[in-house]
Amino acid sequence: MEFDLPLIWAAIIAFAILAYVALDGFDLGVGIMFPFVSEKTDHRDMMMNSVAPIWDGNETWLVLGGGGLFAVFPLAYAVVMPALYAPIIAMLLGLIFRGVAFEFRWRASQKNRIWWDRSFAFGSILATFAQGVCLGALIQGIHVVDRSYAGGSFDWLSPFSLLTGFALIVGYVLLGSTWLVMKTEGDLQTIARKFAQRSGVLILVLIGAVSFATPFLHPDYFTRWFEGPSLIFSVLVPFFLAICAGILFIGLRRKQEIRPFLAAHGIFILCYIGIGITFYPYMVPPSLTIWAAAAPEKSLLFLLVGTLVLVPMILAYTIHAYWVFRGKVDTSGGYH
């Protein structure tokens, strides 16, 4: 029995990126909301306590996705990196600002703590916006000639990529606010619920705008969404998206705590499936397919053996961390 190793690896990397977006998305969203919560209350302490034990573990999936891309799809890595140097560097800088703020904020005086709060918020917004810009730039396509990037330094900067960057900020706010609805009580939970309602409405509008623009970026995208057997996805994806949106808003109105969080992730997963339908079979649209970008079969097989051991270990650690720090948070408990 023969295995399609490039396709298996594409599925593994897709899973790692989805896991990163689902897990790190809500703690980035918590940071994005920081400037909109009063510093005179203890709300910011509780917000940070809710994600402090797990944020670094969540970013493990980003390392797996990026490292995996470098190891098993070296041609895609060699093309994508020069095309997206600026937003990728911005993303890394943003993540550094956040990481430093996590540790130093608790050691700063009350007077100076505001600067670490700003670092946390700035890093969260910058990293999220850069991720969204990278996504938009990939969807709109990367110019490749003779297996090398042939575009300019600012091809990534376009109205579409700015739209996806802003949309991801709103989307992460939805994840972060529903996370806080689940993890907090009292005034902060009420504030989080309002954030979830407003960001939920706005993200649906932005998803509609991105979905409307995407098929017109490339003829293959249009064919995939509106012609042939794949036309069914144009019905199923919006249908299930509407169900998730209904569960989200009904759950928020009835003051449920867990369902809005799960529904928000359902919306993200459906958007991710939509991107997968748009991309397939390309690793770097519109010219490099999964198979053209893959490393030799022996390398893929060698790396797959280690990954089959590593991924269950990361999953086990992640589940254990969430179990240990389950339940509501307050200012006295938590990580620090």
Side-chain angles (χ1 to χ4, degrees):
M1 181 178 179
E2 290 188 5
F3 294 99
D4 191 337
L5 291 174
L7 194 59
I8 292 172
W9 264 109
I12 292 172
I13 290 178
F15 173 75
I17 294 173
L18 176 61
Y20 170 75
V21 170
L23 296 177
D24 206 36
F26 67 78
D27 68 58
L28 282 162
V30 168
I32 295 168
M33 288 189 289
F34 240 52
F36 305 100
V37 177
S38 173
E39 60 179 294
K40 296 179 181 177
T41 65
D42 57 7
H43 292 343
R44 291 185 179 183
D45 292 344
M46 285 197 287
M47 290 167 72
M48 188 167 268
N49 263 337
S50 75
V51 295
I54 50 172
W55 73 274
D56 47 357
N58 294 342
E59 292 186 353
T60 304
W61 295 101
L62 179 64
V63 176
L64 179 62
L69 184 68
F70 172 73
V72 300
F73 294 105
L75 180 56
Y77 189 88
V79 168
V80 169
M81 284 302 290
L84 301 177
Y85 268 140
I88 288 175
I89 290 172
M91 179 191 72
L92 295 176
L93 285 173
L95 294 177
I96 291 171
F97 270 97
R98 272 169 50 83
V100 173
F102 264 114
E103 303 301 332
F104 280 77
R105 180 180 184 275
W106 302 94
R107 297 291 182 185
S109 65
Q110 195 67 32
K111 180 182 178 182
N112 292 327
R113 183 169 292 184
I114 183 66
W115 293 103
W116 294 113
D117 286 354
R118 290 169 180 170
S119 172
F120 185 55
F122 171 74
S124 301
I125 295 169
L126 180 63
T128 302
F129 183 70
Q131 289 175 15
V133 167
C134 288
L135 174 63
L138 274 174
I139 294 174
Q140 70 188 10
I142 293 178
H143 188 205
V144 178
V145 175
D146 295 333
R147 297 166 62 88
S148 299
Y149 176 60
S153 300
F154 293 95
D155 281 7
W156 54 271
L157 186 61
S158 69
F160 183 76
S161 65
L162 295 177
L163 174 65
T164 53
F166 178 65
L168 196 62
I169 288 176
V170 177
Y172 280 179
V173 168
L174 176 62
L175 294 181
S177 57
T178 52
W179 165 259
L180 291 176
V181 167
M182 188 172 62
K183 295 291 288 184
T184 63
E185 297 175 307
D187 291 342
L188 181 55
Q189 189 185 53
T190 302
I191 294 170
R193 193 172 284 116
K194 290 179 180 176
F195 268 104
Q197 289 169 335
R198 293 167 184 172
S199 59
V201 173
L202 185 54
I203 193 59
L204 291 178
V205 173
L206 291 168
I207 289 171
V210 172
S211 301
F212 178 79
T214 298
F216 298 98
L217 293 174
H218 194 275
D220 284 353
Y221 296 168
F222 189 91
T223 302
R224 195 158 301 136
W225 279 103
F226 297 114
E227 295 179 11
S230 59
L231 180 63
I232 191 171
F233 294 122
S234 300
V235 177
L236 290 179
V237 173
F239 173 72
F240 287 114
L241 191 70
I243 291 177
C244 288
I247 295 172
L248 171 69
F249 291 114
I250 292 172
L252 290 171
R253 192 172 67 238
R254 293 180 178 176
K255 298 187 177 180
Q256 295 170 338
E257 297 183 345
I258 298 177
R259 286 185 184 178
F261 183 67
L262 298 178
H265 276 79
I267 291 173
F268 260 77
I269 291 171
L270 286 166
C271 291
Y272 195 73
I273 290 173
I275 294 169
I277 293 169
T278 303
F279 267 37
Y280 185 83
Y282 296 108
M283 179 59 68
V284 182
S287 51
L288 283 181
T289 64
I290 293 169
W291 300 272
E297 292 268 323
K298 288 184 178 179
S299 298
L300 297 181
L301 184 59
F302 175 77
L303 292 166
L304 184 62
V305 174
T307 303
L308 291 178
V309 176
L310 182 64
V311 170
M313 291 175 66
I314 298 175
L315 282 172
Y317 161 78
T318 302
I319 294 170
H320 180 68
Y322 278 78
W323 175 255
V324 169
F325 295 99
R326 67 189 181 280
K328 301 288 185 180
V329 294
D330 54 46
T331 51
S332 59
Y335 177 67
H336 289 86

mmCIF file of all heavy atoms in Angstrom, residues 241-277:
data_model
loop_
_atom_site.group_PDB
_atom_site.id
_atom_site.type_symbol
_atom_site.label_atom_id
_atom_site.label_comp_id
_atom_site.label_asym_id
_atom_site.label_seq_id
_atom_site.Cartn_x
_atom_site.Cartn_y
_atom_site.Cartn_z
ATOM 1 N N LEU A 241 -21.968 27.794 8.765
ATOM 2 C CA LEU A 241 -21.532 29.054 9.376
ATOM 3 C C LEU A 241 -22.719 29.763 10.033
ATOM 4 O O LEU A 241 -22.597 30.306 11.148
ATOM 5 C CB LEU A 241 -20.894 29.955 8.319
ATOM 6 C CG LEU A 241 -20.165 31.193 8.820
ATOM 7 C CD1 LEU A 241 -18.886 30.811 9.541
ATOM 8 C CD2 LEU A 241 -19.825 32.125 7.653
ATOM 9 N N ALA A 242 -23.861 29.745 9.355
ATOM 10 C CA ALA A 242 -25.064 30.366 9.918
ATOM 11 C C ALA A 242 -25.504 29.650 11.188
ATOM 12 O O ALA A 242 -25.946 30.293 12.157
ATOM 13 C CB ALA A 242 -26.186 30.352 8.875
ATOM 14 N N ILE A 243 -25.370 28.318 11.214
ATOM 15 C CA ILE A 243 -25.725 27.567 12.430
ATOM 16 C C ILE A 243 -24.825 27.970 13.595
ATOM 17 O O ILE A 243 -25.293 28.220 14.718
ATOM 18 C CB ILE A 243 -25.618 26.045 12.161
ATOM 19 C CG1 ILE A 243 -26.725 25.609 11.188
ATOM 20 C CG2 ILE A 243 -25.716 25.263 13.474
ATOM 21 C CD1 ILE A 243 -26.653 24.152 10.801
ATOM 22 N N CYS A 244 -23.519 28.044 13.332
ATOM 23 C CA CYS A 244 -22.580 28.442 14.400
ATOM 24 C C CYS A 244 -22.883 29.858 14.890
ATOM 25 O O CYS A 244 -22.831 30.136 16.096
ATOM 26 C CB CYS A 244 -21.139 28.352 13.892
ATOM 27 S SG CYS A 244 -20.541 26.671 13.678
ATOM 28 N N ALA A 245 -23.187 30.757 13.947
ATOM 29 C CA ALA A 245 -23.514 32.137 14.339
ATOM 30 C C ALA A 245 -24.772 32.164 15.204
ATOM 31 O O ALA A 245 -24.844 32.902 16.198
ATOM 32 C CB ALA A 245 -23.701 33.000 13.095
ATOM 33 N N GLY A 246 -25.765 31.345 14.841
ATOM 34 C CA GLY A 246 -26.985 31.275 15.643
ATOM 35 C C GLY A 246 -26.704 30.784 17.057
ATOM 36 O O GLY A 246 -27.192 31.345 18.042
ATOM 37 N N ILE A 247 -25.896 29.726 17.164
ATOM 38 C CA ILE A 247 -25.538 29.201 18.498
ATOM 39 C C ILE A 247 -24.783 30.260 19.301
ATOM 40 O O ILE A 247 -24.999 30.419 20.507
ATOM 41 C CB ILE A 247 -24.689 27.918 18.348
ATOM 42 C CG1 ILE A 247 -25.520 26.811 17.712
ATOM 43 C CG2 ILE A 247 -24.148 27.469 19.703
ATOM 44 C CD1 ILE A 247 -24.716 25.572 17.350
ATOM 45 N N LEU A 248 -23.906 30.998 18.617
ATOM 46 C CA LEU A 248 -23.130 32.044 19.295
ATOM 47 C C LEU A 248 -24.051 33.106 19.915
ATOM 48 O O LEU A 248 -23.969 33.390 21.121
ATOM 49 C CB LEU A 248 -22.171 32.691 18.302
ATOM 50 C CG LEU A 248 -21.451 33.951 18.794
ATOM 51 C CD1 LEU A 248 -20.441 33.601 19.873
ATOM 52 C CD2 LEU A 248 -20.765 34.666 17.626
ATOM 53 N N PHE A 249 -24.920 33.685 19.096
ATOM 54 C CA PHE A 249 -25.732 34.803 19.586
ATOM 55 C C PHE A 249 -26.818 34.349 20.568
ATOM 56 O O PHE A 249 -27.112 35.054 21.537
ATOM 57 C CB PHE A 249 -26.350 35.555 18.401
ATOM 58 C CG PHE A 249 -25.324 36.305 17.599
ATOM 59 C CD1 PHE A 249 -25.046 35.946 16.286
ATOM 60 C CD2 PHE A 249 -24.620 37.352 18.160
ATOM 61 C CE1 PHE A 249 -24.098 36.628 15.548
ATOM 62 C CE2 PHE A 249 -23.665 38.041 17.435
ATOM 63 C CZ PHE A 249 -23.396 37.677 16.128
ATOM 64 N N ILE A 250 -27.396 33.182 20.322
ATOM 65 C CA ILE A 250 -28.382 32.661 21.285
ATOM 66 C C ILE A 250 -27.704 32.370 22.623
ATOM 67 O O ILE A 250 -28.228 32.690 23.696
ATOM 68 C CB ILE A 250 -29.061 31.392 20.715
ATOM 69 C CG1 ILE A 250 -29.939 31.766 19.522
ATOM 70 C CG2 ILE A 250 -29.898 30.700 21.797
ATOM 71 C CD1 ILE A 250 -30.508 30.578 18.776
ATOM 72 N N GLY A 251 -26.519 31.782 22.554
ATOM 73 C CA GLY A 251 -25.784 31.475 23.783
ATOM 74 C C GLY A 251 -25.431 32.733 24.562
ATOM 75 O O GLY A 251 -25.530 32.766 25.792
ATOM 76 N N LEU A 252 -25.027 33.787 23.851
ATOM 77 C CA LEU A 252 -24.684 35.045 24.533
ATOM 78 C C LEU A 252 -25.928 35.677 25.157
ATOM 79 O O LEU A 252 -25.885 36.200 26.274
ATOM 80 C CB LEU A 252 -24.039 36.009 23.538
ATOM 81 C CG LEU A 252 -22.625 35.635 23.055
ATOM 82 C CD1 LEU A 252 -22.196 36.544 21.909
ATOM 83 C CD2 LEU A 252 -21.615 35.717 24.195
ATOM 84 N N ARG A 253 -27.060 35.628 24.432
ATOM 85 C CA ARG A 253 -28.281 36.240 24.959
ATOM 86 C C ARG A 253 -28.802 35.495 26.183
ATOM 87 O O ARG A 253 -29.302 36.107 27.125
ATOM 88 C CB ARG A 253 -29.353 36.276 23.862
ATOM 89 C CG ARG A 253 -30.545 37.152 24.251
ATOM 90 C CD ARG A 253 -31.519 37.347 23.110
ATOM 91 N NE ARG A 253 -32.200 36.118 22.749
ATOM 92 C CZ ARG A 253 -32.182 35.562 21.543
ATOM 93 N NH1 ARG A 253 -31.511 36.142 20.576
ATOM 94 N NH2 ARG A 253 -32.827 34.448 21.295
ATOM 95 N N ARG A 254 -28.650 34.171 26.174
ATOM 96 C CA ARG A 254 -29.107 33.363 27.319
ATOM 97 C C ARG A 254 -28.045 33.279 28.423
ATOM 98 O O ARG A 254 -28.217 32.542 29.388
ATOM 99 C CB ARG A 254 -29.460 31.950 26.828
ATOM 100 C CG ARG A 254 -30.672 31.929 25.912
ATOM 101 C CD ARG A 254 -30.976 30.508 25.449
ATOM 102 N NE ARG A 254 -32.168 30.475 24.598
ATOM 103 C CZ ARG A 254 -32.611 29.369 23.988
ATOM 104 N NH1 ARG A 254 -31.951 28.217 24.142
ATOM 105 N NH2 ARG A 254 -33.687 29.426 23.243
ATOM 106 N N LYS A 255 -26.944 33.986 28.243
ATOM 107 C CA LYS A 255 -25.860 34.031 29.227
ATOM 108 C C LYS A 255 -25.241 32.655 29.484
ATOM 109 O O LYS A 255 -24.835 32.332 30.605
ATOM 110 C CB LYS A 255 -26.338 34.659 30.532
ATOM 111 C CG LYS A 255 -26.795 36.110 30.341
ATOM 112 C CD LYS A 255 -27.116 36.786 31.640
ATOM 113 C CE LYS A 255 -27.502 38.253 31.385
ATOM 114 N NZ LYS A 255 -27.839 38.981 32.616
ATOM 115 N N GLN A 256 -25.191 31.861 28.416
ATOM 116 C CA GLN A 256 -24.453 30.601 28.506
ATOM 117 C C GLN A 256 -22.959 30.906 28.434
ATOM 118 O O GLN A 256 -22.555 31.924 27.875
ATOM 119 C CB GLN A 256 -24.879 29.669 27.358
ATOM 120 C CG GLN A 256 -26.329 29.236 27.455
ATOM 121 C CD GLN A 256 -26.821 28.516 26.210
ATOM 122 O OE1 GLN A 256 -26.256 28.672 25.133
ATOM 123 N NE2 GLN A 256 -27.883 27.746 26.363
ATOM 124 N N GLU A 257 -22.136 30.010 28.988
ATOM 125 C CA GLU A 257 -20.719 30.332 29.109
ATOM 126 C C GLU A 257 -19.818 29.542 28.159
ATOM 127 O O GLU A 257 -18.795 30.058 27.711
ATOM 128 C CB GLU A 257 -20.274 30.098 30.556
ATOM 129 C CG GLU A 257 -20.989 31.025 31.544
ATOM 130 C CD GLU A 257 -20.500 30.852 32.964
ATOM 131 O OE1 GLU A 257 -19.826 29.836 33.236
ATOM 132 O OE2 GLU A 257 -20.782 31.730 33.802
ATOM 133 N N ILE A 258 -20.153 28.297 27.884
ATOM 134 C CA ILE A 258 -19.267 27.444 27.074
ATOM 135 C C ILE A 258 -19.661 27.467 25.594
ATOM 136 O O ILE A 258 -18.796 27.531 24.713
ATOM 137 C CB ILE A 258 -19.279 26.002 27.615
ATOM 138 C CG1 ILE A 258 -18.747 25.984 29.057
ATOM 139 C CG2 ILE A 258 -18.434 25.083 26.735
ATOM 140 C CD1 ILE A 258 -18.791 24.629 29.718
ATOM 141 N N ARG A 259 -20.949 27.433 25.306
ATOM 142 C CA ARG A 259 -21.390 27.330 23.907
ATOM 143 C C ARG A 259 -20.905 28.485 23.030
ATOM 144 O O ARG A 259 -20.511 28.259 21.883
ATOM 145 C CB ARG A 259 -22.919 27.217 23.852
ATOM 146 C CG ARG A 259 -23.424 25.857 24.283
ATOM 147 C CD ARG A 259 -24.913 25.720 24.104
ATOM 148 N NE ARG A 259 -25.383 24.438 24.613
ATOM 149 C CZ ARG A 259 -26.651 24.062 24.615
ATOM 150 N NH1 ARG A 259 -27.575 24.872 24.145
ATOM 151 N NH2 ARG A 259 -26.989 22.889 25.092
ATOM 152 N N PRO A 260 -20.943 29.758 23.508
ATOM 153 C CA PRO A 260 -20.418 30.820 22.644
ATOM 154 C C PRO A 260 -18.961 30.608 22.256
ATOM 155 O O PRO A 260 -18.566 30.890 21.112
ATOM 156 C CB PRO A 260 -20.596 32.072 23.503
ATOM 157 C CG PRO A 260 -21.751 31.760 24.392
ATOM 158 C CD PRO A 260 -21.584 30.308 24.719
ATOM 159 N N PHE A 261 -18.150 30.102 23.179
ATOM 160 C CA PHE A 261 -16.745 29.851 22.886
ATOM 161 C C PHE A 261 -16.600 28.766 21.818
ATOM 162 O O PHE A 261 -15.826 28.913 20.863
ATOM 163 C CB PHE A 261 -16.027 29.426 24.175
ATOM 164 C CG PHE A 261 -14.553 29.196 24.022
ATOM 165 C CD1 PHE A 261 -13.698 30.250 23.729
ATOM 166 C CD2 PHE A 261 -14.011 27.929 24.189
ATOM 167 C CE1 PHE A 261 -12.330 30.041 23.581
ATOM 168 C CE2 PHE A 261 -12.651 27.708 24.048
ATOM 169 C CZ PHE A 261 -11.813 28.773 23.753
ATOM 170 N N LEU A 262 -17.363 27.694 21.961
ATOM 171 C CA LEU A 262 -17.304 26.614 20.968
ATOM 172 C C LEU A 262 -17.847 27.087 19.616
ATOM 173 O O LEU A 262 -17.300 26.742 18.557
ATOM 174 C CB LEU A 262 -18.095 25.408 21.473
ATOM 175 C CG LEU A 262 -17.579 24.760 22.771
ATOM 176 C CD1 LEU A 262 -18.479 23.609 23.181
ATOM 177 C CD2 LEU A 262 -16.138 24.276 22.603
ATOM 178 N N ALA A 263 -18.918 27.894 19.647
ATOM 179 C CA ALA A 263 -19.496 28.388 18.391
ATOM 180 C C ALA A 263 -18.522 29.321 17.667
ATOM 181 O O ALA A 263 -18.401 29.281 16.434
ATOM 182 C CB ALA A 263 -20.803 29.117 18.679
ATOM 183 N N ALA A 264 -17.809 30.162 18.439
ATOM 184 C CA ALA A 264 -16.818 31.049 17.818
ATOM 185 C C ALA A 264 -15.722 30.236 17.133
ATOM 186 O O ALA A 264 -15.269 30.573 16.027
ATOM 187 C CB ALA A 264 -16.213 31.967 18.878
ATOM 188 N N HIS A 265 -15.300 29.156 17.773
ATOM 189 C CA HIS A 265 -14.302 28.292 17.131
ATOM 190 C C HIS A 265 -14.878 27.570 15.920
ATOM 191 O O HIS A 265 -14.166 27.325 14.942
ATOM 192 C CB HIS A 265 -13.749 27.285 18.150
ATOM 193 C CG HIS A 265 -12.644 27.842 18.985
ATOM 194 N ND1 HIS A 265 -12.865 28.665 20.063
ATOM 195 C CD2 HIS A 265 -11.302 27.734 18.866
ATOM 196 C CE1 HIS A 265 -11.714 29.024 20.585
ATOM 197 N NE2 HIS A 265 -10.738 28.480 19.881
ATOM 198 N N GLY A 266 -16.164 27.243 15.992
ATOM 199 C CA GLY A 266 -16.800 26.643 14.825
ATOM 200 C C GLY A 266 -16.762 27.576 13.624
ATOM 201 O O GLY A 266 -16.505 27.147 12.486
ATOM 202 N N ILE A 267 -16.989 28.865 13.857
ATOM 203 C CA ILE A 267 -16.912 29.854 12.772
ATOM 204 C C ILE A 267 -15.507 29.896 12.187
ATOM 205 O O ILE A 267 -15.321 29.918 10.965
ATOM 206 C CB ILE A 267 -17.332 31.242 13.309
ATOM 207 C CG1 ILE A 267 -18.827 31.251 13.640
ATOM 208 C CG2 ILE A 267 -16.998 32.339 12.301
ATOM 209 C CD1 ILE A 267 -19.303 32.502 14.337
ATOM 210 N N PHE A 268 -14.503 29.892 13.061
ATOM 211 C CA PHE A 268 -13.121 29.914 12.577
ATOM 212 C C PHE A 268 -12.779 28.654 11.786
ATOM 213 O O PHE A 268 -12.117 28.722 10.742
ATOM 214 C CB PHE A 268 -12.156 30.062 13.771
ATOM 215 C CG PHE A 268 -11.661 31.460 13.956
ATOM 216 C CD1 PHE A 268 -12.476 32.423 14.533
ATOM 217 C CD2 PHE A 268 -10.397 31.840 13.526
ATOM 218 C CE1 PHE A 268 -12.033 33.723 14.686
ATOM 219 C CE2 PHE A 268 -9.950 33.133 13.675
ATOM 220 C CZ PHE A 268 -10.766 34.088 14.260
ATOM 221 N N ILE A 269 -13.209 27.502 12.289
ATOM 222 C CA ILE A 269 -12.905 26.243 11.589
ATOM 223 C C ILE A 269 -13.549 26.229 10.207
ATOM 224 O O ILE A 269 -12.930 25.799 9.223
ATOM 225 C CB ILE A 269 -13.375 25.044 12.441
ATOM 226 C CG1 ILE A 269 -12.494 24.927 13.692
ATOM 227 C CG2 ILE A 269 -13.337 23.753 11.635
ATOM 228 C CD1 ILE A 269 -12.990 23.922 14.702
ATOM 229 N N LEU A 270 -14.777 26.724 10.104
ATOM 230 C CA LEU A 270 -15.445 26.756 8.804
ATOM 231 C C LEU A 270 -14.738 27.714 7.842
ATOM 232 O O LEU A 270 -14.619 27.423 6.642
ATOM 233 C CB LEU A 270 -16.906 27.158 8.990
ATOM 234 C CG LEU A 270 -17.783 26.047 9.579
ATOM 235 C CD1 LEU A 270 -19.111 26.604 10.058
ATOM 236 C CD2 LEU A 270 -18.014 24.938 8.545
ATOM 237 N N CYS A 271 -14.273 28.846 8.361
ATOM 238 C CA CYS A 271 -13.492 29.757 7.508
ATOM 239 C C CYS A 271 -12.209 29.078 7.040
ATOM 240 O O CYS A 271 -11.785 29.237 5.886
ATOM 241 C CB CYS A 271 -13.170 31.041 8.273
ATOM 242 S SG CYS A 271 -14.597 32.086 8.590
ATOM 243 N N TYR A 272 -11.600 28.330 7.937
ATOM 244 C CA TYR A 272 -10.363 27.623 7.590
ATOM 245 C C TYR A 272 -10.629 26.565 6.513
ATOM 246 O O TYR A 272 -9.834 26.391 5.587
ATOM 247 C CB TYR A 272 -9.804 26.977 8.850
ATOM 248 C CG TYR A 272 -8.372 26.510 8.736
ATOM 249 C CD1 TYR A 272 -7.334 27.438 8.720
ATOM 250 C CD2 TYR A 272 -8.059 25.159 8.652
ATOM 251 C CE1 TYR A 272 -6.014 27.019 8.624
ATOM 252 C CE2 TYR A 272 -6.758 24.737 8.559
ATOM 253 C CZ TYR A 272 -5.734 25.670 8.549
ATOM 254 O OH TYR A 272 -4.433 25.256 8.438
ATOM 255 N N ILE A 273 -11.756 25.865 6.646
ATOM 256 C CA ILE A 273 -12.131 24.886 5.618
ATOM 257 C C ILE A 273 -12.340 25.603 4.282
ATOM 258 O O ILE A 273 -11.932 25.112 3.219
ATOM 259 C CB ILE A 273 -13.409 24.143 6.050
ATOM 260 C CG1 ILE A 273 -13.092 23.224 7.235
ATOM 261 C CG2 ILE A 273 -13.996 23.336 4.887
ATOM 262 C CD1 ILE A 273 -14.324 22.577 7.853
ATOM 263 N N GLY A 274 -12.961 26.774 4.338
ATOM 264 C CA GLY A 274 -13.161 27.547 3.104
ATOM 265 C C GLY A 274 -11.844 27.928 2.453
ATOM 266 O O GLY A 274 -11.701 27.860 1.226
ATOM 267 N N ILE A 275 -10.859 28.308 3.276
ATOM 268 C CA ILE A 275 -9.532 28.628 2.720
ATOM 269 C C ILE A 275 -8.906 27.381 2.107
ATOM 270 O O ILE A 275 -8.286 27.440 1.042
ATOM 271 C CB ILE A 275 -8.636 29.206 3.832
ATOM 272 C CG1 ILE A 275 -9.178 30.560 4.298
ATOM 273 C CG2 ILE A 275 -7.191 29.343 3.347
ATOM 274 C CD1 ILE A 275 -8.514 31.077 5.550
ATOM 275 N N GLY A 276 -9.083 26.233 2.785
ATOM 276 C CA GLY A 276 -8.537 24.979 2.244
ATOM 277 C C GLY A 276 -9.151 24.628 0.900
ATOM 278 O O GLY A 276 -8.455 24.182 -0.018
ATOM 279 N N ILE A 277 -10.465 24.830 0.774
ATOM 280 C CA ILE A 277 -11.137 24.563 -0.507
ATOM 281 C C ILE A 277 -10.587 25.501 -1.582
ATOM 282 O O ILE A 277 -10.378 25.111 -2.734
ATOM 283 C CB ILE A 277 -12.658 24.755 -0.345
ATOM 284 C CG1 ILE A 277 -13.222 23.678 0.595
ATOM 285 C CG2 ILE A 277 -13.363 24.706 -1.698
ATOM 286 C CD1 ILE A 277 -14.650 23.942 1.028
#
